[in-house]
Amino acid sequence: MPTAVEPKLEKKAEALREKIRHHEYRYYVLDDPEISDAEFDKLMNELKRIESENPALINPDSPTQRVGGKPREGFLKAKHSSPMLSLDNAYSEDELRDWQRRVHELSGRTDIEYMCELKLDGMSLALVYKEGRFERGITRGDGSIGEDVTSNVRTVRSVPLTVAKERLKKSAIPSDFEVRGEMLMPIAAFRKMNEEREQHGLAAFANPRNFTAGTVRQLEPSITAQRRMDYFAYMLLRDGKTYFDRQSKTMNALEMAGFKVNPNRKLAKNLDEVWKFIQSWEGRRASLPYEIDGIVIKVDSTAWQRELGFTGKAPRWAIAYKYAARGGITQIENIVPQVGRTGKLTPVAWLKPVPIGGTTVARATLHNLDEIARLGVKIGDWVEVERGGDVIPKVVKVVEDAAHPRGTKQFEMPEHCPVCGGNVVRTEGEADHRCVNANCPAKLQGTILHFASRHVMNIDGLGESLVNQLSERGMVKNVADLYKLTKEDLLRLDRIGEKTADNVLAEIANSRKLPLERVIFGLGIRFVGERTAKFLAEHFGSLDAIMNASAEQLEEVNEVGPRIAESIGEFFADAHNHDLVEDLRKAGLIFTGQKKAKGTKLVGKTFVLTGTLERHTRDEAKLMIEDAGGRVSGSVSKKTDYVVAGTDAGSKLDKARELGVSVIGEEELEKLAG
Ligand code: IVH
């Protein structure tokens, strides 16, 4: 049992928490850090150390506890203090002016000011605070009852876990209050997460909004924590009612209290100013790091809001001006399979060119045959095409009406690769078709483009046209050949002058300095994405060690399971790949790295953590096991060596007992690992 803690230590921990909260606020809310990541980590580690040595000090508001939440079997329902409403939409200036007319008529005034805010395209979420402490996060649900997603919301760094008394005072916010706002996933995080999912053979999310909804309703808070979510506040309630007398005041107060409030807002004196704001964001919205689908216009005065009231599910005092969807309707002229670096054949719709969001779209991805079946799409069909957070536009649905007759030609996946004629197969249980020819030129081009991309070897200037020329002329047969290119070679190609040639060669030369994890990622081993490459580099410390590792040894690496281990094994067993690695070694790439020091006491042992641990956060326990060479798995099976059970352990504990797996407590774990 935890013993009493010295008051001095308690003070020290609180002072550290204060500092950490301040720097989290600078970083996650203001986007303006004052210290380096390393300095921040130092503060956090210091606090973690003190708390783990003195567990009595831990409280749920500590910044160390963001990821500590335990997985839930499901979500509890929670009632909203007042209904979470939606908004009526306007699609044109006329509709907007109609709305203003109604506002004038019902309020009997014309001198109304409007707050203009971006309509963030995420998911609305209520945050309940008691005594200035974050207590509950609730999804919108049906408007009156939502789901309690507190442990997931806790992991979002722009949500303050506590609001200090001074801040409440300064902003004139009461200590018990409710904030409503939008949870969203920035586009960059969305792309990165989707890429990782695809590398792990998981289905990609269609857009950041779906990804947000999926993440907020995730049952494992540690997963939510990894997906860089953001939260913008736009309402402040007390006892279910708007607290301040103006929306503009609410926004300023929320900002003062330390919430992230969108800075792109304007208090407009009249509808002309509103319209100017709407127009000014129409073109600029693409430059935002997150998606918006319109502008929300709110009557600024709370008194007039009350006067205007609600119709059914939406307030009369606000309206959402929706920008034309970044989509368009056009006809599919053909569906053509395109071969990627893994040999995957992606069916691509060739469209009658259609302008969408400032560019002309002529191609859209259909992902795979399952997606074609889901959409029921045929060649000749009229379809709706959308450009979302992803770079490649996609077909959203078939348009069916008299003006848009249905096509009749079904797309069929070819049996032979359209690039090399090799056999095309669909592995059982997978959605994708692949060309099995290892020497398919399409694979080579895709592999080189992947190798040169920014997150891999970062060779700027090595784009599609250059890569195609290099591979078609046989000048580059694998990525190692890039390092043998000379200026004369490059000058023989189309559209390459002296300057470009020099730049490309300098970029290639520079890439030699990139660390081992990039080289591993660059090899293009199936299922080995950026994260896995990093874990492999840290675990083994050299490419040779990875090449010589057995499947069991590979599986000791964080997040590497049998499927990834098998894929790595297969890659290095291939003679061509072996030669490639040797050529890269000769080219001078970095083959060794800093091995993360690890103990050996738990090598080969698999642990499952369940319930609430008292002495460590879940992440700390995981790290402790991994640092001693052990592995942590998410589910109990016959292969599990130990289940570490905290309080309120549920079904995993039952399963362990059923299978006769040893169940231990935290102290025993410390002894085993230490
Ligand atoms: S105010 C009754 N402000 O749009 C007031 N909503 O279509 C309703 N949204 O459910 C919310 N940005 O999820 C408001 N600045 C903003 C918003 C916003 C996005 C979302 C919100 C709401 C939906 C309604």
Side-chain angles (χ1 to χ4, degrees), residues 551-580:
E552 289 74 38
Q553 287 166 334
L554 289 167
E555 282 186 46
E556 279 163 22
V557 178
N558 210 356
E559 295 185 11
V560 174
R563 195 172 61 148
I564 303 180
E566 188 186 327
S567 164
I568 298 171
E570 272 174 9
F571 183 89
F572 290 116
D574 183 289
H576 290 103
N577 292 334
H578 220 269
D579 292 348
L580 167 72

Side-chain angles (χ1 to χ4, degrees), residues 85-87 117-120 123-124 140 182 234-235 296 298 315 317:
L85 301 166
S86 63
L87 295 167
E117 299 167 20
L118 301 186
K119 188 168 187 306
L120 306 159
M123 176 185 184
S124 55
R140 176 160 178 252
E182 203 81 356
Y234 49 65
M235 279 178 104
V296 181
K298 301 173 182 172
W317 48 263

Side-chain angles (χ1 to χ4, degrees), residues 19-20 69 140 178 205 249 267 307 348 357 384 394 397 432 473 524 530 542 546 554 614 638 657:
K19 262 197 191 159
I20 292 171
R140 176 160 178 252
E178 178 179 338
F205 279 91
K249 244 194 221 173
L267 181 61
E307 196 91 345
V348 174
E384 196 177 308
K394 60 172 151 283
K397 64 169 193 230
D432 300 335
R473 295 180 192 213
E530 202 171 351
S542 78
I546 299 171
L554 289 167
E614 301 277 333
K638 272 189 274 180
R657 293 204 172 117

Side-chain angles (χ1 to χ4, degrees), residues 9-127:
L9 215 54
E10 195 161 344
K11 252 196 165 147
K12 187 165 179 203
E14 202 39 48
L16 268 171
R17 285 185 195 129
E18 263 318 299
K19 262 197 191 159
I20 292 171
R21 279 183 197 124
H22 169 75
H23 291 301
E24 281 190 329
Y25 171 72
R26 298 289 315 188
Y27 188 93
Y28 294 105
V29 177
L30 300 184
D31 211 1
D32 184 18
E34 290 171 341
I35 58 173
S36 69
D37 290 0
E39 284 169 301
F40 180 83
D41 289 346
K42 226 170 113 190
L43 292 175
M44 196 63 137
N45 288 336
E46 170 76 1
L47 178 61
K48 275 189 190 162
R49 191 185 56 76
I50 296 176
E51 286 184 345
S52 70
E53 285 168 7
N54 306 278
L57 274 180
I58 303 177
N59 70 45
D61 309 324
S62 173
T64 57
Q65 299 301 299
R66 286 197 187 266
V67 233
K70 61 174 174 159
R72 300 274 302 270
E73 299 294 335
F75 293 111
L76 295 172
K77 298 266 178 269
K79 195 165 164 39
H80 289 296
S81 59
S82 63
M84 278 183 90
L85 301 166
S86 63
L87 295 167
D88 283 335
N89 298 322
Y91 294 95
S92 64
E93 191 181 350
D94 278 352
E95 286 181 21
L96 195 63
R97 294 204 182 266
D98 282 347
W99 170 72
Q100 187 202 27
R101 236 186 319 276
R102 283 197 301 278
V103 168
H104 286 178
E105 277 166 21
L106 288 166
S107 66
R109 331 181 47 111
T110 52
D111 59 345
I112 286 178
E113 291 186 315
Y114 302 97
M115 188 69 206
C116 307
E117 299 167 20
L118 301 186
K119 188 168 187 306
L120 306 159
D121 199 6
M123 176 185 184
S124 55
L125 207 76
L127 313 177

